[in-house]
Amino acid sequence: MSCPICAEKTDPKFRPFCSKRCADIDLGRWMRGSYAIPSDDPEDADEALDELERRSSPPH
């Protein structure tokens, strides 16, 4: 198995990565939102945008 970040041989200590560095790169990508599952359902996006707008609007 090769490291999904750099394609080097994996280290059992950091599996599926080869090193702590590559594991940290992957974690950073998750935290930035670089990984996402696409949705074909436009309702999901519309509902999420409506909820964000509702939460960010000041109360009347």
Side-chain angles (χ1 to χ4, degrees):
M1 175 182 234
S2 61
C3 176
I5 303 299
C6 71
E8 293 290 324
K9 185 178 176 188
T10 60
D11 180 336
K13 183 176 175 183
F14 300 105
R15 190 175 175 160
F17 307 103
C18 66
S19 65
K20 182 171 179 353
R21 177 185 173 275
C22 284
D24 288 345
I25 289 170
D26 185 71
L27 178 61
R29 289 177 182 174
W30 279 106
M31 295 188 74
R32 279 193 315 273
S34 297
Y35 297 135
I37 299 171
S39 171
D40 293 332
D41 190 358
E43 291 178 19
D44 290 344
D46 291 337
E47 288 176 18
L49 286 172
D50 290 344
E51 180 67 17
L52 284 172
E53 288 174 2
R54 185 181 65 76
R55 290 182 182 195
S56 64
S57 298
H60 292 29

